[in-house]
Amino acid sequence: MNILHIRDAADVEAAVRTAIAGEQPLEIIGHGSKRSIGHVMMTNAVLDVSALNAVTCYEPSELIITVQAGAPLDEVLSLLDSKNQEFSFEPMNPAVLLDSRSGRGTIGGMIGAGLAGPRRIKAGGVRDHLLGAHAVSGFGDSFKAGGRVVKNVTGYDLCKLLAGSWGTLAIMTEVTLKVMPKAEAERTLVLRGLDDLAANRAMTAALGSPYDVSGAAHTPHSALKAARGALAGLASMGQTATLLRLEGIAASVVHRGAALAADLASFGAAEFVENAESAALWREIRDVAPFAADGPLGAWPVWRIVCPPASGGVFGQTLTRETGGEVIYDWAGGLLWAALPPSVDAHAASLRRRLAPLGGHATLLRADEGLRRTVDVFHPQAKGVAALAERVRQSFDPKSIFNRGRLTRMPI
Amino acid sequence: MTIMMPAPDQMVLDRRDAIVRDFREIVPGEGVISSAAEMLPYESDALTAYRQPPMVVVLPETTAQVSRVLKYCFDHGIKVVPRGSGTSLSGGALPLADAVLLGLSKFKRIREIDFDNRVVVTEPGVTNLAISQAVAHAGFYYAPDPSSQIACSIGGNIAENSGGVHCLKYGMTTNNVLGCELVLMSGEVLRIGGKTPEQAGYDLMGIITGSEGLLGVVTEVTVRILRKPETARALMVGFSQVEAAGECVARIIGAGIIPGGMEMMDRPAIHAAEAFVNAGYPLDVEALLIIELDGSSIEVDELIRRVEAIALGCGSTTCRISGSEAERDLFWAGRKAAFPAVGRISPDYLCMDGTIPRGALPRALALIRDLGEKYGLGVANVFHAGDGNLHPLILYDANKPGEMDKAEAFGADILRCCVELGGVLTGEHGVGIEKRDLMPHMFSEVDLNQQQRLKCAFDARGLLNPGKVFPTLHRCAELGRVHVHGGKLPFPDLPRF
């Protein structure tokens, strides 16, 4: 495998132009923390952008940060934390699920994957926070998208496409992201022993309340037990746990917690977990710790399923019964993490058939190479939409230089 | 007020009668308007300085009709200009002489309210406010609230990615839309996204939102609705210096407080608004901030205290805190009526819409003041201060020869300043025709080419709303060509796959 190490943004452009001339597809990596997601790529050359790792400009009072795409996410998060700020979409740490030794990855990888955590229900996803980007297209041109301010409707919003494009449209070299102040206090309300359907109803009621819930998750007891950290602490009573997070100033989260508990009294008595302990719970939900690569379910394939939130419970319960797998719910039922016992197609066909009438979609986020060669990792789209998406891809990269084959399975 | 639009296609104009006849087949009844008198209301949108009668107005009622109309135009090489309620301030719905004006005003039905999934599925002709009203009984609302919300359609909001005073905390249209039914120029009907929090594949909804009617015609929209906060209160804070007000905005954000809305008005805007609605605004200040905090009552009370202290620390000269809903509404009444209020003190005004980094606010104001002196025109400033979105209102009299040209030149200078200060040409009104020719000031040719390539993926023949957004139109075949850079290649050992 040839690895092209670049030194600056100009190198990226030069490398891409060279690749275009040679019709040579490139795998684009930062730290490689999410390399095992997607189909096996059709390339033998790697473009490593991790040297583009500088923080260009951080202006806390403007609520923006401009960084080079290869900047380590951990370091950027520490910097934000030093000013009591954060990315409010809670980017997940893929290392827990994927057993990656390359840590939490880079900013560019975070954007390309677009994997947001629990607070997405309130604050939006990665796509909602990417304000601007400099990138190199598959035409070998450096271009700019968006700007450095939150409110901007000048031209097409190309940043939305870059987020979640898995590096198939352009190579980002520098990006500007919106940052937000951290909440002063947080409090998690815990309901015990609800089955999937009741938990889904409780989460729906919580999101329909005026108490500004910023996280709504549900885990079966077995998953709590499988987690070794904070979630395991909830396992002692042998019951499921439904978690509802409130954030804000201290007096407010106390008040809202009590009011929400009263509203949800029909679902049982609530317990509360405060501040640092609460934060630890949500980190594990965000990273799907119960399905950790080094945990008891580490060998099972893991699906990331997105569906209308109120239908999550029924779908998850059926999926669990039929496959003998485990499901963890986030986003009030709109996001399901499913670890399913190994099977020929990781249950792809039945899962997607059942998901179709709901308008949901499923990504096989963790699977060995064999499965990734035979199963569609990313959800197949309706014909017309797939054709449009392909034209959109070609409008950035007509020669398929970037991450060729990652999104679409090639016939064997 | 000269702007070059694509030259009319004489072959199309010559066939007008036959085309109108064919449209009447597709959209029976009163859905095809072809008489000059009846087309008059469609000659312009809210950028009224520009007028152009369309070739014909078509008002379909169903997706199937939209699809057939577009397919017909696609097959016959006829341009199409989509239109919602016609409230665009940037000329996004300005007709073309040889184009069909495709109005979505008959798509007036809310199709589904789904409180469990917190979404509303609606037709695009429904007004922004009607969505909030339809869910208000259950304590919900649709967050983006452009000033024109009583009239503007949700379809138009998608086209423009509309904002409003509350988008500082709750986001713009793009952050609150989950899916749509989209008809491509070819007539093909697609479903993008839906009730799920995220869509599969590329974020096509994100690119459709704010595309100013250049990519497709939206015939159904799924929006996210939110539960109303427990309470909201507002502060009205006066400053004897604009710089102090700007500093106050920066310190509030710096203290980790994100208000529901944070608006600023300068002296001329304050006086105009006060004379119009008697909101009780102080008249002896240079800048007024209206800051709204929402959430639980305990939280709001505490944040009001903190904001009041910050304001005092910045040298505020007056500070009133709303004690009732009526009083909060009164604080807002002046701000919300600022545009018509300015309309009373000047025969005409141009509303600009640049965004700058918050910290550049005092500098931007000084620059605008200097430019006003240079052009000899008055200006009243209204800002979404929390997110740096400026709305300078340039006062002029269209009846005085040359004054409108002067006002437009002044406006263009303001927008260039916004870009130079690190901002952008438009924060929420769109590029349309108004800022089209300023685009090269913000984007290079390469940047604009990349955007136009995307247009080609949706509308390869360039028939949908041509002449908007892009100053120069290129053929898709030309844009799609990959130029192989020859000569010395810096990565000679790159293997061939």
Side-chain angles (χ1 to χ4, degrees):
Chain A
M1 186 72 78
N2 281 65
I3 300 182
L4 305 182
H5 292 282
I6 50 88
R7 296 155 301 179
D8 52 29
D11 269 359
V12 176
E13 192 181 79
V16 172
R17 287 180 174 190
T18 309
I20 292 169
E23 307 223 346
Q24 166 63 52
L26 301 170
E27 180 185 358
I28 318 303
I29 67 161
H31 292 172
S33 65
K34 294 174 281 290
R35 267 177 118 174
S36 66
I37 303 175
H39 293 290
V40 180
M41 280 174 250
M42 303 164 70
T43 177
N44 57 358
V46 172
L47 186 108
D48 178 341
V49 297
S50 59
L52 293 177
N53 59 7
V55 173
T56 312
C57 168
Y58 174 34
E59 294 179 60
S61 69
E62 294 289 339
L63 302 179
I64 57 161
I65 187 164
T66 302
V67 291
Q68 290 188 314
L73 178 55
D74 268 334
E75 286 177 22
V76 173
L77 290 175
S78 302
L79 176 64
L80 298 180
D81 191 55
S82 72
K83 299 289 178 187
N84 212 25
Q85 294 187 334
E86 65 187 352
F87 292 131
S88 59
F89 50 87
E90 291 183 281
M92 83 180 288
N93 177 1
V96 176
L97 207 52
L98 301 179
D99 189 24
S100 152
R101 272 156 215 103
S102 36
R104 206 161 170 191
T106 61
I107 288 287
M110 171 189 86
I111 295 167
L115 298 171
R119 207 184 289 106
R120 196 194 196 297
I121 52 173
K122 171 172 148 66
V126 183
R127 51 97 73 185
D128 297 289
H129 294 78
L130 180 63
L131 303 179
H134 286 270
V136 178
S137 73
F139 288 83
D141 293 332
S142 299
F143 70 94
K144 173 179 105 166
R148 296 185 64 237
V149 290
V150 174
K151 224 169 159 190
N152 177 14
V153 296
T154 322
Y156 298 137
D157 195 353
L158 299 185
C159 290
K160 293 284 182 295
L161 283 176
L162 295 176
S165 64
W166 295 96
T168 58
L169 298 180
I171 304 176
M172 289 174 279
T173 51
E174 185 181 89
V175 295
T176 297
L177 288 144
K178 179 178 165 183
V179 300
M180 291 297 270
K182 283 190 162 180
E184 289 176 23
E186 71 170 270
R187 179 174 219 210
T188 295
L189 182 157
V190 185
L191 296 168
R192 302 279 197 169
L194 302 180
D195 66 17
D196 294 10
L197 302 190
N200 200 184
R201 284 197 301 275
M203 293 190 287
T204 299
L207 267 287
S209 81
Y211 306 121
D212 205 15
V213 172
S214 71
H218 173 76
T219 76
H221 175 249
S222 46
L224 294 174
K225 245 174 39 184
R228 281 180 297 245
L231 282 172
L234 296 177
S236 57
M237 292 173 70
Q239 288 178 313
T240 67
T242 308
L243 313 176
L244 301 164
R245 180 173 62 182
L246 303 159
E247 295 173 291
I249 61 175
S252 172
V253 298
V254 169
H255 158 78
R256 284 185 282 142
L260 182 60
D263 273 18
L264 300 179
S266 63
F267 292 99
E271 300 154 44
F272 289 99
V273 179
E274 317 283 341
N275 297 319
E277 272 179 73
S278 163
L281 290 176
W282 290 99
R283 264 198 305 279
E284 289 176 28
I285 295 287
R286 179 194 73 194
D287 298 338
V288 209
F291 301 164
D294 58 358
L297 297 180
W300 286 13
V302 172
W303 288 91
R304 182 178 183 272
I305 302 163
V306 178
C307 67
S311 23
V314 176
F315 182 82
Q317 191 177 61
T318 313
L319 186 65
T320 312
R321 278 191 193 145
E322 287 190 350
T323 63
E326 294 259 13
V327 172
I328 294 169
Y329 300 83
D330 196 357
W331 300 355
L335 173 66
L336 280 62
W337 292 100
L340 305 183
S343 80
V344 174
D345 71 343
H347 306 274
S350 60
L351 186 157
R352 284 183 168 141
R353 195 167 48 240
R354 205 178 296 283
L355 204 48
L358 302 176
H361 49 92
T363 305
L364 183 56
L365 207 80
R366 181 174 80 195
D368 60 36
E369 206 175 300
L371 265 177
R372 288 186 284 125
R373 285 186 191 279
T374 53
V375 175
D376 287 318
V377 169
F378 296 95
H379 201 85
Q381 295 185 283
K383 205 169 144 227
V385 178
L388 175 61
E390 173 58 15
R391 293 197 299 276
V392 166
R393 195 195 63 69
Q394 287 184 15
S395 75
F396 284 87
D397 179 20
K399 302 265 188 203
S400 288
I401 298 294
F402 306 140
N403 288 352
R404 184 184 289 178
R406 187 177 204 179
L407 293 185
T408 316
R409 185 166 57 93
M410 296 295 150
I412 303 168
Chain B
M1 57 167 296
T2 46
I3 183 137
M4 289 285 290
M5 295 303 282
D9 182 339
Q10 193 56 45
M11 304 243 289
V12 168
L13 290 174
D14 288 347
R15 292 186 52 246
R16 179 176 186 263
D17 292 349
I19 292 167
V20 169
R21 225 173 19 247
D22 288 342
F23 283 144
R24 289 196 203 282
E25 293 277 306
I26 301 173
V27 184
E30 296 170 348
V32 178
I33 300 171
S34 61
S35 81
E38 285 178 290
M39 290 200 298
L40 211 58
Y42 298 93
E43 279 186 6
S44 78
D45 52 26
L47 187 70
T48 52
Y50 295 86
R51 292 180 180 277
Q52 167 65 54
M55 176 171 71
V56 56
V57 176
V58 180
L59 306 174
E61 288 181 64
T62 65
T63 301
Q65 288 175 354
V66 172
S67 165
R68 287 183 64 196
V69 168
L70 290 177
K71 170 89 167 67
Y72 179 92
C73 293
F74 179 80
D75 289 343
H76 295 85
I78 302 167
K79 298 170 193 137
V80 176
V81 175
R83 176 184 166 111
S85 298
T87 57
S88 167
L89 289 163
S90 56
L94 180 75
L96 293 167
D98 62 339
V100 176
L101 189 83
L102 187 71
L104 278 297
S105 56
K106 293 193 173 179
F107 281 78
K108 274 192 166 326
R109 208 166 54 86
I110 290 180
R111 290 185 177 163
E112 188 191 353
I113 295 173
D114 180 347
F115 287 117
D116 280 351
N117 285 308
R118 300 168 294 283
V119 298
V120 168
V121 182
T122 178
E123 295 180 359
V126 171
T127 64
N128 172 293
L129 189 61
I131 296 174
S132 284
Q133 285 170 341
V135 297
H137 65 279
F140 282 81
Y141 74 114
Y142 173 63
D145 57 344
S147 304
S148 56
Q149 68 180 154
I150 190 166
C152 65
S153 69
I154 189 68
N157 288 180
I158 305 264
E160 302 296 327
N161 188 12
S162 308
V165 296
H166 287 97
C167 63
L168 171 62
K169 185 166 176 184
Y170 297 102
M172 316 243 305
T173 302
T174 190
N175 312 110
N176 290 278
V177 174
L178 297 175
C180 72
E181 180 182 73
L182 181 79
V183 187
L184 295 180
M185 190 61 220
S186 62
E188 189 178 5
V189 182
L190 304 177
R191 286 220 153 257
I192 311 289
K195 291 184 179 180
T196 53
E198 270 176 4
Q199 58 194 298
Y202 296 136
D203 187 357
L204 298 174
M205 196 62 235
I207 205 76
I208 293 160
T209 310
S211 63
E212 305 201 25
L214 270 72
L215 299 185
V217 175
V218 168
T219 47
E220 185 189 277
V221 183
T222 302
V223 299
R224 197 164 80 101
I225 51 170
L226 301 177
R227 183 67 196 259
K228 272 190 202 138
E230 269 183 84
T231 188
R233 290 174 72 193
L235 299 97
M236 185 170 84
V237 193
F239 294 89
S240 59
Q241 282 184 322
V242 170
E243 287 75 9
E247 177 63 22
C248 183
V249 169
R251 283 201 208 167
I252 290 168
I253 301 282
I257 300 169
I258 308 294
M262 181 146 58
E263 300 286 305
M264 192 194 293
M265 297 159 79
D266 73 353
R267 190 181 187 92
I270 298 164
H271 282 248
E274 180 59 17
F276 188 33
V277 300
N278 299 313
Y281 289 173
L283 297 174
D284 57 345
V285 297
E286 287 300 316
L288 188 70
L289 287 180
I290 300 173
I291 304 157
E292 181 167 293
L293 297 147
D294 61 8
S296 74
S297 49
I298 289 179
E299 181 148 2
V300 169
D301 291 349
E302 170 62 23
L303 293 179
I304 289 260
R305 273 194 293 276
R306 293 187 197 179
V307 168
E308 190 183 12
I310 291 170
L312 268 174
C314 293
S316 63
T317 53
T318 64
C319 181
R320 271 176 61 193
I321 296 162
S322 68
S324 66
E325 274 300 282
E327 196 174 11
R328 182 175 71 93
D329 288 344
L330 190 64
F331 288 5
W332 280 113
R335 165 62 187 90
K336 287 190 173 165
F339 292 6
V342 166
R344 288 168 78 240
I345 61 165
S346 173
D348 298 283
Y349 69 86
L350 263 187
C351 174
M352 308 313 293
D353 170 47
T355 304
I356 53 164
R358 259 174 236 105
L361 216 86
R363 267 190 73 201
L365 278 173
L367 284 165
I368 292 170
R369 196 169 47 221
D370 293 349
L371 285 168
E373 278 164 22
K374 176 184 151 196
Y375 283 98
L377 292 175
V379 57
N381 284 297
V382 179
F383 308 139
H384 303 302
D387 37 34
N389 187 193
L390 315 177
H391 291 316
L393 305 170
I394 299 171
L395 315 181
Y396 72 100
D397 182 350
N399 287 325
K400 287 189 187 159
E403 197 149 276
M404 172 156 175
D405 288 344
K406 216 156 66 166
E408 288 197 325
F410 182 5
D413 278 353
I414 291 177
L415 297 183
R416 283 190 201 101
C417 283
C418 289
V419 174
E420 271 149 33
L421 290 170
V424 299
L425 293 171
T426 171
E428 57 182 359
H429 293 172
V431 176
I433 54 163
E434 191 206 13
K435 291 148 227 146
R436 185 192 76 184
D437 293 346
L438 291 171
M439 286 289 268
H441 205 76
M442 181 165 154
F443 293 113
S444 72
E445 195 187 344
V446 169
D447 302 336
L448 290 171
N449 284 352
Q450 187 50 51
Q451 295 196 30
Q452 288 198 58
R453 284 189 192 111
L454 189 65
K455 158 83 169 166
C456 295
F458 286 79
D459 172 24
R461 298 190 186 172
L463 292 171
L464 204 50
N465 219 5
K468 314 290 166 64
V469 183
F470 299 108
T472 318
L473 296 176
H474 296 289
R475 296 176 62 85
C476 289
E478 175 194 329
L479 287 169
R481 222 167 281 141
V482 181
H483 178 66
V484 177
H485 300 264
K488 187 171 142 270
L489 293 170
F491 289 92
D493 15 315
L494 192 62
R496 211 183 154 93
F497 184 52

